[in-house]
Amino acid sequence: MTILETINQPADLKTLTSNQLEALADEVRALVLDKVSKVGGHVGPNLGTVELTIALHKVFNSPIDKIVWDVSHQSYPHKILTGRKNGFVDGHFHDITGYTSQHESEHDFFTVGHTSTSIANAMGLAHARDLTGATGNVIAVIGDGSLSGGLAFEALNNAGEFDGNLIVIVNDNEMSIAENHGGLYPHLAKLRESNGTAANNIFTSLGLDYHYIAAGNSIDALITGLESVKDTTKPVVLHIHTEKGHGYAPAVANKEKFHWSAPFELATGLTNPGTPGESYTEMILDYMGEKVDSGMPLVAINAAIPGLMNLKSFAAKYPKNYKDVGIAEQYSITYGQALAAGGARPFIFHNSTFLQRAYDQLSHDLAINEYPAIVIVKGGVINGSDKTHQGSMAIGMISNIPNLVYLAPTSAEELLAMLDWATAQTAQPVVIQLPEHGVEHRSSRLTDFSKPVYDVIENGADVAILGLGGFYNLAEKAAAELEKSGIKASLVNPLFISQLDETALLELAKTHKVIVTLEDGVLDGGFGQKVAGFLGQSDVKVLNFGAKKEFNDSVPVAELYQRYHLTPELIASDVLESL
Ligand SMILES: Cc1ncc(C[n+]2csc(CCOP(=O)(O)OP(=O)(O)O)c2C)c(N)n1
């Protein structure tokens, strides 16, 4: 019998000896590796926290003592030890989510997947505990990378004046997804090098107590350290030095690749290289390279996800024109638009879900000031990801901010035409939402995007389909489906997400019975509703297709497309019904 077979709840590991706990760590690590190698997932973050998780559950009494994981991408060992090991058995991999969830276990308190929230969440729990007369330790576990997010600093600053029990474990593995950036990191290095005794200490300066554990992958050392801070009556930081990917050589050797990995061969760590082909990413990288070569003071900015757009290859060639700002989405926008104010040409790259962090900066800084920064949004689509990583809210979020020219190319040629226009003008900030359904080629009839002009690609009758960005392709397929019923639909490529081409819309309304809008995102406050609102006075019917305003948790995209009628057949049948 393995040790893990005897562990169904954290209480089951309380009586294990030091040797048994070490053996348990090996079993937990093997189980994590088995699952992530088969279905993909976060590898290095989980392998690095196996010992910490075991020590936490040995020393503390979860769920009375509350462990709050930052991002919670490192919570797989915690799930294994808190009654969810079945989710790591083939056939049940998808029974559990990839992050913590209070709906999944009494040992989880929050559904999170974005970084830097744990200290604020722990502060709230700790304050509530004291107000309600409850007991127990509250423990936040935050990575060194996640400390670069402003929210983490805001929470530490508040913790500095908190008078009660709060334990902040800084899990320092010297890595974010990629390398860390910012002045905090040489500082953490000095703390590590001095075994926690360096005179300058950001945590004590903010008013928290501080302890350091060098051997962050030693269960014994961790138990000793955790016992020393257990039941503290004031906020304390326990800074531990761990190794990302610990115990699996390929993940230790290539920490960035194994932060999150698609399925891989366990023996070698090799992943399927995929089929090389055209990509919008490479086109943008080439475009930026040409601009830098021709003397443009361009800066490619990203917030700790260089892999999103393969920006490291650009950085290697143009180090002065590249900036990873750490997990600082807010800063990236304010700083980027100020670069534009100063005459530089920023290209700010964001993943839709993380850009949510920077809503005020998009509005208050970028849009109000109108400097010509360019924001490139990836992942702004209906996706099958976890609840915390839905990309489908980009359109509603960005399209309702004034002053932003928010563009949706449908092809490589349009993307390049938009970039040409955006970099040549200095009047406005521009946001470009990348289409995500493979590279398309369609010549760009527009070269000036300063005023909204729709591209009417096919002239038909009765039905006009407006396929926005990556969904233009779906519009073509829906039109082909309608043709089977004898209807030749007009096809329109709107190009503009937030501004309406009112002339084109009024003309379409005069000449068609039904206008169909297709968008790869939540309908509420989105593109189609703007069209419907504008045409409310006219006789034409407007049918909006897109996602419902709801959080989905790892629902396959195909299922979502069925639910939202985003297939050519379902669109055609809805249109036929409305005629
Ligand atoms: C707001 C936000 N921005 C970006 C990300 C993507 N992301 C996930 S984990 C991570 C790095 C976290 O580094 P660290 O806290 O050191 O944890 P580690 O993975 O090294 O254990 C990033 C940038 C995110 N989840 N949330």
Side-chain angles (χ1 to χ4, degrees):
M1 194 182 220
T2 64
I3 296 175
L4 195 50
E5 278 169 317
T6 68
I7 310 287
N8 295 308
Q9 287 301 325
D12 299 333
L13 59 75
K14 299 282 182 207
T15 53
L16 297 184
T17 63
S18 176
N19 284 345
Q20 286 172 318
L21 291 174
E22 291 293 341
L24 177 64
D26 291 343
E27 292 173 21
V28 169
R29 185 164 275 116
L31 199 58
V32 168
L33 272 170
D34 182 61
K35 176 169 178 174
V36 292
S37 66
K38 287 182 176 139
V39 290
H42 286 100
V43 185
N46 284 295
L47 297 181
T49 51
V50 171
E51 288 78 13
L52 171 65
T53 309
I54 290 173
L56 278 167
H57 284 299
K58 169 90 174 160
V59 171
F60 292 98
N61 183 21
S62 176
I64 295 187
D65 293 324
K66 297 180 172 40
I67 306 166
V68 181
W69 300 94
D70 207 89
V71 195
S72 75
H73 64 318
Q74 76 293 62
S75 65
Y76 302 180
H78 167 76
K79 292 195 179 209
I80 290 171
L81 299 179
T82 53
R84 288 168 277 179
K85 61 186 174 189
N86 201 39
F88 291 78
V89 173
D90 213 343
H92 295 276
F93 287 153
H94 300 292
D95 292 1
I96 57 170
T97 64
Y99 299 90
T100 54
S101 164
Q102 65 272 41
H103 308 297
E104 201 176 88
S105 168
E106 61 173 348
H107 298 280
D108 294 358
F109 305 94
F110 301 101
T111 301
V112 292
H114 288 197
T115 69
S116 319
T117 65
S118 61
I119 307 174
N121 275 329
M123 277 288 291
L125 287 180
H127 192 185
R129 171 201 60 206
D130 297 348
L131 276 176
T132 59
T135 56
N137 292 268
V138 179
I139 306 132
V141 181
I142 185 165
D144 50 327
S146 296
L147 278 181
S148 65
L151 177 55
F153 177 78
E154 292 170 30
L156 276 176
N157 187 40
N158 274 276
E161 64 174 30
F162 179 62
D163 182 22
N165 167 283
L166 177 82
I167 299 166
V168 178
I169 297 177
V170 173
N171 171 33
D172 183 356
N173 56 25
E174 301 182 52
M175 284 293 281
S176 187
I177 288 181
E179 72 286 347
N180 283 305
H181 287 275
L184 178 63
Y185 297 97
H187 176 65
L188 288 183
K190 285 205 180 98
L191 286 171
R192 289 194 305 269
E193 285 153 16
S194 64
N195 203 25
T197 62
N200 286 333
N201 183 317
I202 185 173
F203 305 110
T204 54
S205 299
L206 285 169
L208 291 89
D209 280 352
Y210 174 88
H211 300 272
Y212 178 70
I213 299 177
N217 289 104
S218 154
I219 297 176
D220 285 344
L222 286 164
I223 288 176
T224 308
L226 291 171
E227 275 171 347
S228 76
V229 295
K230 187 178 176 180
D231 298 328
T232 173
T233 53
K234 63 171 299 218
V236 56
V237 167
L238 187 64
H239 178 190
I240 68 171
H241 188 203
T242 61
E243 181 178 55
K244 199 161 179 170
H246 190 68
Y248 183 57
V252 172
N254 196 341
K255 296 191 169 74
E256 186 173 348
K257 175 169 181 274
F258 279 97
H259 172 83
W260 184 94
S261 177
F264 55 94
E265 191 185 71
L266 199 51
T268 59
L270 292 175
T271 41
N272 183 338
T275 38
E278 278 190 311
S279 78
Y280 290 125
T281 300
E282 294 307 319
M283 281 170 211
I284 294 174
L285 294 177
D286 289 347
Y287 184 88
M288 291 196 303
E290 282 164 26
K291 289 291 171 194
V292 176
D293 289 342
S294 67
M296 183 178 276
L298 184 152
V299 188
I301 301 166
N302 80 102
I305 321 185
L308 178 74
M309 293 290 294
N310 198 14
L311 285 169
K312 285 259 176 101
S313 61
F314 177 83
K317 200 159 171 210
Y318 303 101
K320 285 195 186 131
N321 302 87
Y322 172 76
K323 191 83 197 137
D324 178 341
V325 297
I327 311 175
E329 288 83 5
Q330 300 177 75
Y331 173 80
S332 76
I333 299 292
T334 303
Y335 156 75
Q337 67 87 33
L339 276 170
R345 301 313 309 255
F347 278 54
I348 314 169
F349 293 93
H350 274 294
N351 193 340
S352 162
T353 183
F354 305 135
L355 183 56
Q356 289 170 194
R357 274 274 157 96
Y359 191 80
D360 186 55
Q361 288 69 28
L362 285 172
S363 174
H364 172 269
D365 299 313
L366 181 68
I368 287 183
N369 287 288
E370 291 190 271
Y371 292 113
I374 297 169
V375 181
I376 309 269
V377 180
K378 209 167 167 346
V381 292
I382 299 164
N383 61 24
S385 72
D386 297 81
K387 198 185 275 189
T388 48
H389 287 67
Q390 301 287 300
S392 55
M393 287 180 279
I395 294 177
M397 170 171 72
I398 301 166
S399 70
N400 292 302
I401 299 176
N403 290 358
L404 299 180
V405 179
Y406 185 20
L407 300 172
T410 72
S411 69
E413 292 73 14
E414 283 169 5
L415 171 63
L416 294 174
M418 287 170 183
L419 289 174
D420 272 343
W421 170 76
T423 50
Q425 59 88 44
T426 51
Q428 284 153 310
V430 178
V431 183
I432 298 178
Q433 181 136 326
L434 292 183
E436 307 261 351
H437 303 281
V439 172
E440 297 270 325
H441 288 282
R442 188 174 297 109
S443 62
S444 178
R445 291 197 252 193
L446 214 61
T447 51
D448 177 1
F449 295 87
S450 55
K451 290 204 171 45
V453 181
Y454 291 172
D455 191 358
V456 180
I457 294 181
E458 296 280 350
N459 276 303
D462 294 332
V463 179
I465 310 179
L466 280 60
L468 187 68
F471 267 8
Y472 182 74
N473 204 270
L474 180 61
E476 285 181 323
K477 289 185 182 141
E481 197 60 32
L482 280 170
E483 211 154 348
K484 292 181 192 163
S485 304
I487 290 171
K488 166 122 180 57
S490 296
L491 274 172
V492 182
N493 170 7
L495 296 160
F496 293 78
I497 306 181
S498 44
Q499 302 150 284
L500 299 176
D501 177 351
E502 298 185 355
T503 314
L505 283 174
L506 290 173
E507 189 57 32
L508 289 168
K510 262 193 252 158
T511 49
H512 296 80
K513 291 183 192 147
V514 176
I515 290 182
V516 176
T517 67
L518 308 181
E519 66 202 280
D520 200 350
V522 168
L523 284 173
D524 295 61
F527 167 72
Q529 288 193 350
K530 289 180 181 49
V531 171
F534 175 69
L535 294 175
Q537 297 274 39
S538 67
D539 293 334
V540 74
K541 271 190 194 169
V542 182
L543 300 187
N544 297 148
F545 289 83
K548 200 175 153 201
K549 183 177 68 182
E550 60 185 354
F551 289 112
N552 294 302
D553 219 354
S554 303
V555 181
V557 177
E559 194 179 321
L560 293 175
Y561 281 9
Q562 285 292 320
R563 188 189 295 174
Y564 304 141
H565 285 202
L566 290 169
T567 68
E569 298 75 20
L570 290 170
I571 292 166
S573 86
D574 286 356
V575 170
L576 289 172
E577 233 173 73
S578 74
L579 277 171

